[in-house]
Amino acid sequence: MIVAQNVSKNYGSHQALDKVSFEIKSGEIVGFLGKNGAGKTTLMRILTAFLPASAGTVIIDGKDVAKSSLDVRKIIGYLPETPPLYPNMTVQNYLQFAADIKGVAAKQRRRQLHRVLEECQLEAVKGRVIATLSKGYKQRVGIAQAIIHEPKLLILDEPTSGLDPVQNQQVRELINNQQQQRTVLLSTHTLSEIEQIAHRVLIIKTGKIIVDASLDALMTQSLSPDGKPQSLETIFIDLHRQPHGGQL
């Protein structure tokens, strides 16, 4: 589904990404982790065709992002850290608008609207103005707009940031349900979520991928002194304490 080859991004003299390469297969849920400033958001913007790479190539579903950005955007659903919501619109009107701008055929919009309202558990609030919703509901509306056009790839940037435990669980279950339908790339600082959702982990540090492994392999490989698997949070912290990249 995604093939990144030697992707670099420079902002003047600052190198945000340094020859990043990885592959993600269809149907995988991949956790994308890194400290603030490590290059996560830059890479996600390149994958979603919002930002060009300085060098390297990204192929999504067989299409070169740099050469076919409009075609690539049609098969991607994207939820940035701040959901792109219009607070004065009702949930239903906003999702109808999202379906329109994402090219959902007119005869399919009603069906797609009903599907995402049900899947994201928004039926009860579809007539409410978005500004009056809780943060948890707003996140669900954000996910609904990202999947209303049935994308093959879903990219989520901090989808549970600021949610209470109940809202967090609801959104996490929604994300988990996506694996039957599409590939998911998920960025979050809540590492316990990755342990519950992801099949695989990518960790980026100072613009370089330092871990690309299945979650099971990573947890088995990183044992505590008493022989028990360490938490992903402990692994992440240990990697960032190590000099010279701390690669596994």
Side-chain angles (χ1 to χ4, degrees):
M1 171 55 69
I2 303 177
V3 179
Q5 297 177 325
N6 296 317
V7 177
S8 296
K9 181 62 180 179
N10 301 319
Y11 296 102
S13 60
H14 173 65
Q15 187 167 35
L17 297 175
D18 183 8
K19 296 180 180 179
V20 169
S21 297
F22 61 89
E23 295 187 21
I24 296 176
K25 297 178 181 178
S26 295
E28 284 191 301
I29 297 183
V30 178
F32 186 37
L33 310 176
K35 294 171 63 177
N36 289 336
K40 296 194 310 297
T41 299
T42 296
L43 183 56
M44 293 174 93
R45 288 176 177 169
I46 290 172
L47 295 177
T48 53
F50 282 96
L51 189 69
S54 300
T57 58
V58 176
I59 307 297
I60 295 181
D61 198 35
K63 300 177 179 63
D64 189 317
V65 171
K67 298 177 181 177
S68 306
S69 62
L70 292 179
D71 290 334
V72 168
R73 291 185 190 192
K74 292 177 182 178
I75 60 174
I76 292 178
Y78 179 42
L79 178 67
E81 186 171 359
T82 301
L85 306 179
Y86 289 91
N88 295 327
M89 297 179 75
T90 66
V91 172
Q92 182 164 308
N93 287 343
Y94 169 71
L95 292 176
Q96 288 172 334
F97 168 71
D100 185 20
I101 63 174
K102 292 182 181 213
V104 177
K107 61 183 179 181
Q108 296 178 347
R109 285 177 200 162
R110 180 175 294 182
R111 178 178 62 83
Q112 290 298 93
L113 177 62
H114 175 73
R115 182 186 65 81
V116 298
L117 286 171
E118 182 176 24
E119 186 173 346
C120 299
Q121 299 179 24
L122 293 168
E123 281 283 357
V125 298
K126 65 182 181 182
R128 285 179 54 181
V129 173
I130 290 173
T132 67
L133 300 179
S134 68
K135 185 170 177 61
Y137 270 119
K138 288 177 181 176
Q139 290 295 93
R140 288 195 229 170
V141 175
I143 295 174
Q145 65 79 29
I147 64 175
I148 197 165
H149 59 305
E150 294 281 16
K152 294 183 178 181
L153 172 64
L154 181 60
I155 297 179
L156 306 172
D157 192 359
E158 298 292 342
T160 60
S161 176
L163 302 187
D164 65 36
V166 173
Q167 294 170 335
N168 194 313
Q169 182 181 17
Q170 291 169 339
V171 171
R172 193 166 62 237
E173 288 175 354
L174 174 58
I175 295 168
N176 238 334
N177 291 338
Q178 299 304 309
Q179 66 177 312
Q180 303 300 326
Q181 307 168 62
R182 52 189 59 90
T183 305
V184 179
L185 180 63
L186 167 68
S187 174
T188 179
H189 288 298
T190 309
L191 303 190
S192 59
E193 291 178 359
I194 297 299
E195 292 181 359
Q196 298 177 56
I197 297 175
H199 305 143
R200 196 164 133 231
V201 175
L202 296 172
I203 300 179
I204 190 169
K205 180 179 179 181
T206 58
K208 296 183 178 182
I209 297 293
I210 61 170
V211 171
D212 180 355
S214 73
L215 185 59
D216 288 344
L218 181 61
M219 305 290 277
T220 302
Q221 181 179 352
S222 304
L223 301 178
S224 64
D226 60 2
K228 295 181 180 179
Q230 295 183 328
S231 69
L232 185 56
E233 181 176 353
T234 299
I235 295 169
F236 182 86
I237 292 171
D238 287 348
L239 283 167
H240 284 80
R241 285 175 175 163
Q242 296 175 24
H244 311 302
Q247 289 187 296
L248 286 179

